[in-house]
Amino acid sequence: MEPVIAIRGLSKRYAGGHQALSDVDLDIARGEIFALLGPNGAGKTTLISIVCGIVTPTTGTVSADGFDIGRQYRQARSRIGLVPQELHTDSFETVWATVTFSRGLFGCPPDPAHVEKVLKDLSLWEKRKARIMELSGGMKRRVMIAKALSHEPEILFLDEPTAGVDVELRRDMWALVRRLRDSGVTIILTTHYIEEAEEMADRVGVISKGRLIVVDEKTALMKKLGRKTLTLNLAEPMRALPAALSDWALTLKADGNELEYEFDANAERTGVPSLLRRMSDEGIAFKDLHTRQSSLEDIFVSLVHSGEGA
Amino acid sequence: MSVPAFNRFGVWAIYRFEMARALRTLWQSVVTPVITTSLYFVVFGGAIGSRMHDVGGVPYGAFIVPGLIMLSLFTQSLFNASFGIFFPKFTGTIYEVLSAPVSPFEIVMGYVGAAATKSVILGLIILATAALFVPMTILHPLWMAAFLVLIALAFSLFGFIIGIWGKNFEQIQFIPMLIVTPLTFLGGAFYSTDMLPQPWRTVTLFNPVVYLVSGFRWSFYGKGDVAVGVSLAATVGFLALCLVAIAWIFRTGYRLKT
């Protein structure tokens, strides 16, 4: 199936010489939730800004729903909604006026019923006559989303959508994003909250220093790159690792009270049974054991750090 | 999804937004210039004008009316248009305009159209205010309206350029306050260039404002410092120059896109 967003050889070098993006290729499938992860300054916002027409690319092409963002910008942009990271709002405008303005700006005829639906979906209906300056930060964030949804976009970019919002609002937004996806909207979100990507994304892309270093299904990524950690609570504390256990990459922790062993859960031989046998042979007893699957955050940190080392 | 070749809803959204902004600041937008103009009439028309001779057969109080309207038209067009585009840049809301399916021409239509509309309305209000102070005639009302609209458009385009060029509020105010206002005072707003001795009469012809004020005054009294055709050409030329500059701004993304 043709991707709804197709990015080819995209690079951006700012006038000051900073290389924000380097040769990025990326396809976004229709109807998916794609999370773009990366540390500050990795190029996430530049990538989104280029697709939305705010930043001019140095090289490369981008198409949205088959329309080139440069030559066919009207068709491309009319399909895209953007919720920027910063709360850029017209403080003196009312909620209703600013959302209506956005709908008109994107070439749509007035449709009070749609604006009403969007405001109600975002719990903004009661505030429709309020000036934006009177709203809380969380409410302003909802207004930004309402503006982006006012023209019924097929593709929605959310740049750090839950930055600085409380837990309850974050959960509300996650629910909203799922509803939008269920209605057929493609969602591309950037986030610092790995939990957010883990919770919602179908696919994940990790960007570091302007390069897209990995793109994969979230579950596949966690399976492929995810590692497990076995922690053994020792019956007697250990001062140093015995030579008999040197075949395993073990770490002594908690003042010698814990042995930690990290292993690839997908490997044919994890090394766990043999480790336990060897410990039994050596008379090393343990009181308890537990395992932990590495989170998307662990994977992200590991990927970014390995990218930095490259 | 069909996308029209002309985004009329987008133009209307920008235009209406800008007009609504003027209504929110009705006091600054209309009342302040009207009071200022009335004070000019009290000082120049009443106190000083009563001691002045007619200028080319026109009583001095009536003579300064076109110049006063031009003074307000220049500054208000510049301020309205420059703040119209500078404010979204300043607050960051420009992202929405840049990411919308609106062409540069449509963006200019929305912002400059609104700024010019406000200035023309203001010019007409000042004209009505002036009529309360001095008796006057308008020999060529259609030309008067044409000059009013063309000059409002040209200076609104110029203001739009200033709004994009300016990085802060000081820069936005720099050109209207320190360049345009002095040029207007020295451009025959309150006198005829015939009243100047040489070489100043020749020097003043290098001031582009002379041609704009002269054309507008001709539409009132049938007399100007320069031929009306020259005034019209200067007005249209200035307008075209601003359009070329704006076309370049959008083509290069100058201070709009990084």
Side-chain angles (χ1 to χ4, degrees):
Chain A
M1 194 167 74
E2 189 186 341
V4 73
I5 297 276
I7 298 170
R8 297 286 175 271
L10 193 66
S11 296
K12 175 65 186 177
R13 180 186 285 272
Y14 285 104
H18 172 60
Q19 186 77 35
L21 290 176
S22 299
D23 201 25
V24 171
D25 291 314
L26 178 64
D27 282 344
I28 307 289
R30 194 178 297 276
E32 73 170 333
I33 298 179
F34 184 88
L36 191 59
L37 307 178
N40 286 335
K44 304 185 296 290
T45 300
T46 298
L47 181 64
I48 285 185
S49 299
I50 288 175
V51 178
C52 293
I54 298 166
V55 169
T56 311
T58 306
T59 59
T61 60
V62 181
S63 69
D65 203 12
F67 295 103
D68 184 274
I69 59 156
R71 285 178 288 108
Q72 298 161 299
Y73 70 93
R74 280 190 200 275
Q75 289 90 338
R77 291 183 196 171
S78 63
R79 284 157 172 81
I80 297 174
L82 167 66
V83 182
Q85 188 174 339
E86 303 292 333
L87 290 171
H88 300 305
T89 52
D90 295 300
S91 302
F92 300 101
E93 285 290 305
T94 64
V95 171
W96 179 270
T98 196
V99 175
T100 306
F101 167 78
S102 299
R103 183 175 170 81
L105 194 62
F106 277 76
C108 297
D111 186 351
H114 176 71
V115 175
E116 181 178 336
K117 181 182 177 301
V118 169
L119 294 184
K120 282 181 174 170
D121 283 350
L122 287 157
S123 307
L124 283 169
W125 181 244
E126 303 301 320
K127 298 283 184 185
R128 65 190 180 282
K129 292 177 185 169
R131 286 186 175 192
I132 294 170
M133 58 168 39
E134 298 162 8
L135 303 179
S136 66
M139 282 289 179
K140 284 179 185 162
R141 180 74 63 184
R142 288 173 200 247
V143 172
M144 302 296 287
I145 297 175
K147 282 165 77 69
L149 294 176
S150 65
H151 64 285
E152 303 162 67
E154 295 168 28
I155 305 159
L156 183 65
F157 283 93
L158 298 162
D159 197 0
E160 302 281 355
T162 56
V165 305
D166 60 31
V167 177
E168 190 183 355
L169 180 55
R170 190 178 304 166
R171 297 276 166 193
D172 282 356
M173 288 206 183
W174 290 356
L176 172 75
V177 168
R178 286 199 189 90
R179 284 203 304 276
L180 287 169
R181 193 266 300 272
D182 292 344
S183 68
V185 178
T186 306
I187 316 269
I188 298 104
L189 63 93
T190 71
T191 182
H192 277 96
Y193 298 108
I194 311 296
E195 184 195 358
E196 196 160 73
E198 200 167 345
E199 177 80 21
M200 289 198 299
D202 300 311
R203 286 198 310 146
V204 172
V206 178
I207 192 166
S208 178
K209 294 184 174 173
R211 292 188 181 278
L212 203 54
I213 51 180
V214 70
V215 177
D216 211 336
E217 301 279 336
K218 178 186 69 186
T219 47
L221 188 68
M222 292 182 74
K223 199 173 168 188
K224 205 181 329 179
L225 298 174
R227 297 183 69 81
K228 270 193 166 179
T229 306
L230 168 70
T231 305
L232 296 156
N233 297 101
L234 301 172
E236 297 291 334
M238 204 180 267
R239 299 185 81 175
L241 282 170
L245 300 181
S246 60
D247 290 348
W248 293 265
L250 295 168
T251 314
L252 201 55
K253 291 196 164 176
D255 296 328
N257 284 297
E258 286 181 6
L259 260 185
E260 204 171 85
Y261 173 50
E262 195 180 84
F263 60 97
D264 182 355
N266 301 308
E268 198 173 321
R269 292 176 182 275
T270 61
V272 173
S274 55
L275 170 65
L276 296 180
R277 272 199 304 275
R278 178 66 62 88
M279 286 175 66
S280 176
D281 294 347
E282 295 293 321
I284 303 169
F286 55 89
K287 295 182 288 187
D288 195 9
L289 83 167
H290 65 269
T291 60
R292 185 178 73 87
Q293 173 78 46
S294 58
S295 65
L296 191 56
E297 182 160 352
D298 298 328
I299 297 168
F300 168 73
V301 170
S302 148
L303 280 169
V304 169
H305 282 179
S306 62
E308 281 172 358
Chain B
M1 183 195 284
S2 66
V3 177
F6 178 69
N7 185 352
R8 64 189 168 99
F9 293 113
V11 174
W12 178 241
I14 295 172
Y15 183 88
R16 206 174 57 171
F17 177 87
E18 283 298 300
M19 293 305 285
R21 194 164 61 84
L23 286 176
R24 277 203 306 269
T25 55
L26 195 64
W27 186 256
Q28 296 106 298
S29 301
V30 175
V31 180
T32 307
V34 167
I35 290 175
T36 307
T37 308
S38 301
L39 289 174
Y40 273 114
F41 279 114
V42 170
V43 175
F44 289 104
I48 297 173
S50 59
R51 295 160 194 265
M52 297 279 287
H53 295 296
D54 289 356
V55 184
V58 179
Y60 186 71
F63 176 83
I64 65 170
V65 171
L68 272 179
I69 294 173
M70 282 293 106
L71 181 63
S72 289
L73 199 73
F74 295 159
T75 51
Q76 289 303 311
S77 297
L78 290 175
F79 278 125
N80 285 332
S82 58
F83 275 93
I85 189 66
F86 175 75
F87 214 67
K89 277 175 55 191
F90 180 72
T91 59
T93 54
I94 192 75
Y95 86 89
E96 201 175 18
V97 175
L98 295 176
S99 64
V102 282
S103 68
F105 178 67
E106 290 157 357
I107 293 172
V108 171
M109 271 185 83
Y111 281 109
V112 171
T117 303
K118 285 183 266 184
S119 301
V120 167
I121 291 171
L122 186 73
L124 294 174
I125 291 173
I126 291 172
L127 182 64
T129 309
L132 299 175
F133 290 89
V134 288
M136 61 183 161
T137 53
I138 302 172
L139 286 180
H140 309 288
L142 287 179
W143 279 110
M144 189 279 285
F147 270 113
L148 195 68
V149 171
L150 281 174
I151 293 170
L153 271 176
F155 273 78
S156 295
L157 286 167
F158 187 32
F160 189 83
I161 295 167
I162 294 170
I164 287 174
W165 165 76
K167 288 181 177 171
N168 50 49
F169 285 99
E170 286 74 24
Q171 286 188 347
I172 294 293
Q173 295 186 41
F174 174 79
I175 290 178
M177 300 302 288
L178 293 178
I179 296 177
V180 174
T181 303
L183 283 180
T184 310
F185 273 92
L186 298 172
F190 299 105
Y191 57 85
S192 166
T193 53
D194 289 343
M195 296 160 79
L196 293 174
Q198 284 291 13
W200 297 112
R201 193 186 302 173
T202 304
V203 168
T204 204
L205 292 177
F206 288 96
N207 178 356
V209 171
V210 166
Y211 300 89
L212 309 182
V213 173
S214 171
F216 193 57
R217 185 171 285 134
W218 171 87
S219 70
F220 278 71
Y221 308 120
K223 292 170 189 165
D225 290 325
V226 293
V228 67
V230 176
S231 289
L232 188 63
T235 307
V236 173
F238 181 48
L239 196 146
L241 198 66
C242 291
L243 280 174
V244 169
I246 287 174
W248 175 82
I249 284 169
F250 278 103
R251 199 175 64 246
T252 59
Y254 173 74
R255 293 198 177 170
L256 275 178
K257 292 188 181 187
T258 48

